[in-house]
Amino acid sequence: MLQKKSTLMFIFGTTAMLSGPSLAETGCVAVAPQQPLPASSSARTISKINFIRHDIFDLSHPQTVWFHRFANEYHVITTEPTIRDDVLFREGEPLDLAVLAETERLLRSRRYLRQAEVQVTEYCESNQSVVVTVSTWDNWSLLPKISLGHEGGETKSNIGFAEDNLLGTGNQLQAEYFNDSERDGYQLRFLSPNIGGSHWQTAVQYADNSDGESYQFQLNKPFYRISSDWAFNFELSKEIKDISEYELGDEYNEYRSNRDYAEVSGGWKISHYDNQVQHLNVGVTLDDHHFLANDDSTRPQPADRDLSQIWLGWDWFQSDYQKMFNFFQFNKVEDINFGWQASIRLGKLNQGLGAYTTGWNLQATLAKNWQLTPSSWLTYRSEYHQLEGKALASQQLFSNQLRHIYHLTDHQVWISQFQWNVGKNLFRDQRITIGGDDGMRAFPLYYQTGNKSAIASTEYRYITSWHLYQLVDVALAAFVDAGRAWDNPDRTTPIDNDTLYGYGVGVRLLPSHASRGSIISIDLSKPVTDNPELSGWRWRLIAKRDF
């Protein structure tokens, strides 16, 4: 008996030594989520970072079936080094809760992660240190792309696959064959969002389309955090495609576009105070655009243009993020910035770089979100472009988008949006179109085209409690659209310039455990028009990131 007792004591003692001291023995206490740390006059340091990686599906969920277990079994979970590469703090550094929140937002921006939490989980008073735990939940990242859709009077299809988390490294690989109203062909794409933890990114894309070959190569290091000191971007691309011109959704002309584009730029932090940062950017852009007639051309093609330029830019960013739900999407955490965001860029056309004329190019953006009441918000974004050159007609475009989001209840959301564009002498291939993808959901693609447009839309969305086998969240919707595009100097026949109206009902599907995160909208809509070709109800299927 004594021998058995001695053996048990030896086992328990050895286990205790191997497992290390308990929280009580080290003077550390557990910290619950959202619990404030005890007051202290001295700075705290991060003594340890723990990583908890969750698989795609919770197998304890009552709706668990065989394919949930199959997905978890054959999915390569995001590796700890991949997650660690995105962590913006290190062991031994002072604790900064703002940096923890910034890391959480960066992790949530990775499409291969469904959710991320970065929290202080232990506090050690004896040495004023903390333990931080980084918890992540994976998305299903290998997505077959097999679809047949009909939207705005046109049929679209594609087949292929996209892997958004190749072997758990966060790299993306995509291959697909596609066919839509403009072209068909295949496309290959590779993207690495964080090369070796350096926060350098690279993207390589190649497409062989029915209207020509296209490619793109990009290597850049963005301002990936508010305290980043510098940024760099290099991009090289060639795009060959056929561009169609429409009236009332019917194609009447086509021509070929051949664009060669290259840009190299750098940016530097010039001031950083509290949650505000300013950057100075400088770059060189080569932009050569040629147009050719093809077999389906019925009108002369646009004039060639070269807008190569040297430019100087400035941007101002305020960081005031809040975690929101049912804002642009539904049933998922959305990081919404309520700070000001502004940028301006002034370029000088340079004939030494290939530009056809001298002149200047101005681009400016302004964005802000406001909380109006505890249950309503307003978002605003504005862009202004102006192009002036000796051999060019003065060109301007002022674009605005105003959106109001109102939570009637936790399950009911009313979203209203007004967008307007005022242009002057826009290039033919850059004119504003409405219909289908571009607002006016009850009308065909490219139904109206012009230098100016205005669209008002409202959508009521009821977010149901239906979660179909942990795969799809469901919302029901009803919407009304009104809009108009006008001032098209190249129209060939008198066309309907009246304001368009349409309404409909639909279903919104959110693949809750898939890396793409797009809302699938299935709509049944009816245009209000005297055009007999558009009588009756029309159906529409499209995947978009938000409303």
Side-chain angles (χ1 to χ4, degrees):
M1 184 71 179
L2 182 61
Q3 184 178 2
K4 290 183 179 179
K5 185 175 181 180
S6 301
T7 303
L8 290 173
M9 292 178 62
F10 173 77
I11 294 174
F12 289 145
T14 304
T15 303
M17 287 188 292
L18 292 175
S19 62
S22 65
L23 289 179
E25 292 171 341
T26 59
C28 301
V29 295
V31 179
Q34 311 303 324
Q35 176 185 344
L37 293 173
S40 174
S41 58
S42 58
R44 301 179 176 92
T45 59
I46 300 171
S47 61
K48 186 179 180 182
I49 304 173
N50 291 327
F51 292 88
I52 300 177
R53 297 171 295 134
H54 298 271
D55 220 324
I56 303 170
F57 294 108
D58 178 6
L59 298 184
S60 65
H61 193 280
Q63 285 189 336
T64 297
V65 294
W66 66 269
F67 60 76
H68 297 120
R69 293 185 289 271
F70 176 86
N72 282 4
E73 180 71 23
Y74 289 96
H75 168 74
V76 180
I77 195 168
T78 306
T79 65
E80 183 176 313
T82 299
I83 297 172
R84 186 182 290 272
D85 285 344
D86 276 335
V87 173
L88 303 178
F89 52 89
R90 296 292 180 265
E91 295 173 349
E93 293 182 350
L95 173 66
D96 187 334
L97 296 179
V99 175
L100 267 61
E102 196 173 17
T103 298
E104 194 174 273
R105 291 194 298 271
L106 178 58
L107 288 169
R108 266 198 298 270
S109 71
R110 305 303 191 195
R111 60 174 52 184
Y112 49 84
L113 296 178
R114 185 173 79 258
Q115 172 62 309
E117 294 178 356
V118 182
Q119 298 173 336
V120 174
T121 53
E122 295 179 29
Y123 168 61
C124 304
E125 185 178 9
S126 59
N127 58 1
Q128 290 296 305
S129 68
V130 297
V131 174
V132 176
T133 299
V134 179
S135 302
T136 57
W137 288 260
D138 265 30
N139 270 322
W140 176 257
S141 57
L142 178 58
L143 301 173
K145 303 188 72 175
I146 304 174
S147 67
L148 176 65
H150 186 80
E151 196 280 327
E154 299 289 345
T155 299
K156 303 179 180 182
S157 63
N158 63 41
I159 182 170
F161 74 90
E163 171 55 78
D164 290 332
N165 194 7
L166 189 62
L167 300 177
T169 62
N171 296 320
Q172 299 175 24
L173 180 64
Q174 178 177 327
E176 67 174 312
Y177 169 81
F178 59 89
N179 183 297
D180 59 29
S181 61
E182 297 293 332
R183 62 191 58 85
D184 63 86
Y186 67 87
Q187 176 177 285
L188 301 172
R189 176 177 172 82
F190 173 79
L191 170 67
S192 182
N194 187 1
I195 304 173
S198 64
H199 294 283
W200 282 86
Q201 304 174 350
T202 187
V204 181
Q205 179 173 302
Y206 175 78
D208 187 1
N209 307 325
S210 57
D211 46 18
E213 294 183 331
S214 301
Y215 60 81
Q216 180 187 32
F217 172 76
Q218 187 171 17
L219 178 67
N220 70 301
K221 185 175 185 179
F223 292 110
Y224 62 92
R225 60 185 300 182
I226 193 169
S227 62
S228 295
D229 292 321
W230 59 276
F232 174 82
N233 178 64
F234 172 75
E235 183 177 355
L236 180 68
S237 67
K238 182 181 184 65
E239 184 181 44
I240 300 175
K241 64 180 181 179
D242 289 333
I243 296 179
S244 300
E245 294 181 309
Y246 295 82
E247 285 183 355
L248 301 183
D250 295 325
E251 180 182 332
Y252 68 86
N253 184 44
E254 186 178 278
Y255 54 87
R256 177 152 296 189
S257 165
N258 188 335
R259 186 185 188 193
D260 294 295
Y261 182 89
E263 180 173 285
V264 59
S265 64
W268 297 268
K269 179 178 66 179
I270 55 176
S271 75
H272 180 196
Y273 175 73
D274 197 15
N275 67 332
Q276 304 182 42
V277 64
Q278 296 184 66
H279 301 131
L280 182 67
N281 307 287
V282 62
V284 176
T285 300
L286 306 179
D287 189 0
D288 188 13
H289 213 152
H290 291 269
F291 302 93
L292 300 169
N294 63 18
D295 293 340
D296 295 316
S297 297
T298 60
R299 301 186 58 214
Q301 69 272 17
D304 295 342
R305 61 178 182 266
D306 191 312
L307 302 180
S308 298
Q309 57 192 274
I310 301 172
W311 55 267
L312 184 68
W314 166 87
D315 63 72
W316 172 48
F317 179 83
Q318 280 185 319
S319 177
D320 184 15
Y321 282 92
Q322 296 182 31
K323 294 180 184 178
M324 306 296 296
F325 290 88
N326 304 331
F327 203 78
F328 296 132
Q329 298 197 335
F330 65 95
N331 282 1
K332 64 182 301 183
V333 177
E334 301 176 68
D335 294 301
I336 306 298
N337 186 18
F338 286 85
W340 284 97
Q341 300 173 69
S343 68
I344 188 168
R345 171 170 153 173
L346 182 62
K348 180 175 175 55
L349 301 184
N350 190 302
Q351 291 180 304
L353 297 174
Y356 293 165
T357 184
T358 58
W360 54 272
N361 186 17
L362 174 67
Q363 303 175 46
T365 63
L366 181 67
K368 181 73 170 76
N369 303 320
W370 295 272
Q371 181 166 2
L372 304 180
T373 69
S375 58
S376 67
W377 299 266
L378 189 68
T379 75
Y380 175 71
R381 181 175 178 84
S382 176
E383 297 183 11
Y384 180 75
H385 300 260
Q386 184 169 351
L387 178 64
E388 302 285 346
K390 287 186 177 180
L392 294 170
S394 176
Q395 184 182 118
Q396 299 173 16
L397 178 60
F398 185 41
S399 302
N400 301 271
Q401 184 183 73
L402 192 65
R403 181 179 296 171
H404 180 252
I405 301 165
Y406 181 46
H407 286 183
L408 300 167
T409 66
D410 290 342
H411 293 275
Q412 299 181 76
V413 182
W414 199 302
I415 305 173
S416 299
Q417 180 175 281
F418 181 51
Q419 50 185 324
W420 68 100
N421 302 278
V422 180
K424 174 184 176 183
N425 297 323
L426 300 181
F427 294 126
R428 272 174 57 189
D429 58 303
Q430 294 180 353
R431 293 217 175 101
I432 304 158
T433 65
I434 67 171
D437 291 357
D438 301 306
M440 300 312 303
R441 290 168 273 191
F443 288 82
L445 290 162
Y446 321 115
Y447 192 75
Q448 288 183 344
T449 302
N451 284 312
K452 301 176 177 65
S453 73
I455 298 177
S457 301
T458 187
E459 178 172 304
Y460 166 80
R461 188 175 289 175
Y462 178 74
I463 301 164
T464 74
S465 57
W466 304 335
H467 308 286
L468 306 182
Y469 291 99
Q470 302 185 62
L471 297 178
V472 177
D473 293 349
V474 182
L476 307 177
F479 60 87
V480 177
D481 300 329
R484 177 187 174 208
W486 69 98
D487 187 22
N488 182 0
D490 293 311
R491 67 184 185 185
T492 59
T493 59
I495 62 173
D496 182 8
N497 270 331
D498 294 337
T499 301
L500 308 176
Y501 300 93
Y503 60 91
V505 294
V507 177
R508 305 289 175 260
L509 304 177
L510 177 66
S512 56
H513 290 69
S515 58
R516 291 287 149 158
S518 298
I519 296 177
I520 301 171
S521 298
I522 305 173
D523 294 328
L524 187 64
S525 60
K526 190 177 191 316
V528 180
T529 176
D530 295 330
N531 187 341
E533 296 182 1
L534 298 181
S535 61
W537 291 83
R538 309 168 66 85
W539 71 277
R540 167 185 185 267
L541 187 151
I542 188 172
K544 299 181 71 174
R545 293 292 295 180
D546 53 34
F547 168 72

